């Protein structure tokens, strides 16, 4: 079985690192990924994908990336469910295994790839 996804898109906000009670570092980011086809109005729609980064990947992303930067993400899809107001909800997100810093908003801001 295989659970793998690859995305290329732009960060929608500056990454902010958070430390869990157990001392792990985590960032939840959103990446804007334009679709490869136009809608009925002749416009390219954009998907906003939620991604979680842990530990060293989170630390380096917080250090080198900011809103608008182009990144490549390799990861897996994880689905979770929870209950809110007596109603069962589910959410899917990408858990990043690797991030590649493709381009900063301006060329002078480009940092190394990890």
């Amino acid at each position: 079985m295989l659970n793998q996804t690859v995305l290329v898109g732009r960060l929608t906000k500056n990454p902010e690192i958070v430390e869990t009670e157990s001392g792990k570092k985590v960032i939840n980011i959103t990446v804007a990924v334009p679709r490869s086809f136009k809608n009925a109005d002749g416009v390219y729609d954009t998907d906003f994908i939620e991604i979680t980064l842990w530990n060293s990947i989170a630390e380096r992303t917080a250090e080198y990336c900011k809103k608008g930067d182009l990144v490549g993400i390799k990861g897996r899809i994880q689905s979770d469910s929870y209950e809110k107001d007596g109603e069962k909800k589910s959410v899917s997100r990408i858990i990043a295994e690797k991030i590649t810093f493709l381009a900063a908003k301006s060329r002078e801001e480009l940092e190394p790839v990890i």
Side-chain angles (χ1 to χ4, degrees), residues 78-93:
Q78 179 173 305
S79 297
D80 294 309
S81 60
Y82 62 96
E83 195 168 310
K84 183 177 180 180
D85 300 327
E87 190 176 329
K88 190 171 182 175
K89 308 257 183 188
S90 63
V91 63
S92 295
R93 66 173 38 247

Side-chain angles (χ1 to χ4, degrees), residues 64-78:
Y64 292 114
C65 292
K66 65 181 180 298
K67 179 180 178 177
D69 287 352
L70 186 66
V71 295
I73 303 279
K74 178 183 170 260
R76 61 183 169 81
I77 300 170
Q78 179 173 305

Side-chain angles (χ1 to χ4, degrees), residues 5-105:
T5 187
V6 177
L7 302 167
V8 175
R10 295 200 179 271
L11 296 176
T12 62
K13 64 179 183 176
N14 291 331
E16 294 182 27
I17 198 160
V18 175
E19 192 167 325
T20 66
E21 290 179 13
S22 63
K24 293 183 179 181
K25 301 209 165 89
V26 63
I27 292 177
N28 291 305
I29 61 172
T30 302
V31 175
V33 181
R35 294 184 184 170
S36 61
F37 55 90
K38 294 179 181 179
N39 63 21
D41 297 325
V43 177
Y44 291 100
D45 288 327
T46 300
D47 292 305
F48 295 89
I49 314 273
E50 300 292 323
I51 301 170
T52 300
L53 303 100
W54 289 95
N55 300 317
S56 62
I57 295 173
E59 290 173 349
R60 288 190 177 89
T61 301
E63 183 178 352
Y64 292 114
C65 292
K66 65 181 180 298
K67 179 180 178 177
D69 287 352
L70 186 66
V71 295
I73 303 279
K74 178 183 170 260
R76 61 183 169 81
I77 300 170
Q78 179 173 305
S79 297
D80 294 309
S81 60
Y82 62 96
E83 195 168 310
K84 183 177 180 180
D85 300 327
E87 190 176 329
K88 190 171 182 175
K89 308 257 183 188
S90 63
V91 63
S92 295
R93 66 173 38 247
I94 306 299
I95 306 299
E97 297 169 354
K98 182 177 180 176
I99 186 167
T100 303
F101 306 144
L102 298 172
K105 283 178 81 173

